[in-house]
Amino acid sequence: MSDELFRSVFRRHPAGVTVVTLGSPSGPVGFTATSVVSVSMDPPLLSFAIAQTSSSLAALSRAESVLIHWPEAGQSDLATRFARSAQERFSDPEMWTALSSGEPLLHGVATWVRCLLTERVQAGDHTIVIGRVVEACMNGGGDNAPLAYLDGRYHELVPIGTP
């Protein structure tokens, strides 16, 4: 299988957009992740993947916990910011606050969870991280459309019909 064919297949698969943040001795760390999935309800576990080439990997390998934020419609700029170079991600001190546990909480993101990291598994050119959800917040009840990533671009999802 060629790398290009593999990428092309997954360009057709919409993925939810999240921003993962963590504290580190050298300051806040964060990155955009489209690989967050629910793993277990009991206990509440989720996973995400990070590239071996990521500038955030070293800090993540030492972290005990992370926050995962779910940007909504109108917040693609946030996802883009955390997909850029590391120096730009936390360059605006007005956009985040450190929780007492040390993770940076991004202002204006209605849905987030705090996870204690339980496992890290190297898989090819990525590391799969598993975390136990210990805290969750849904301000506004999730009324806004979620942000998705498809074919190299962000999209705002809208429901079809009525529930």
Side-chain angles (χ1 to χ4, degrees), residues 13 18-19 25 36 38 56-58 79 83 90-91 118 121 133 151 154 162:
H13 178 70
T18 65
V19 175
V36 174
S38 171
S56 302
L57 184 61
F90 291 97
S91 61
T118 61
V121 179
V133 178
D151 202 21
Y154 295 111
T162 57

Side-chain angles (χ1 to χ4, degrees), residues 27-106:
V29 175
F31 55 93
T32 299
T34 58
S35 58
V36 174
V37 296
S38 171
V39 173
S40 168
M41 290 294 291
D42 186 18
L45 299 174
L46 59 72
S47 71
F48 61 90
I50 182 170
Q52 295 291 331
T53 57
S54 173
S55 62
S56 302
L57 184 61
L60 184 63
S61 68
R62 293 185 294 277
E64 294 180 11
S65 60
V66 298
L67 290 184
I68 301 175
H69 307 77
W70 276 263
E72 298 175 336
Q75 294 183 313
S76 62
D77 57 329
L78 185 66
T80 300
R81 171 187 284 266
F82 280 85
R84 288 192 207 131
S85 68
Q87 323 59 287
E88 296 179 40
R89 297 173 189 169
F90 291 97
S91 61
D92 180 359
E94 300 297 315
M95 69 176 285
W96 63 279
T97 304
L99 295 181
S100 60
S101 50
E103 307 89 354
L105 175 64
L106 301 176

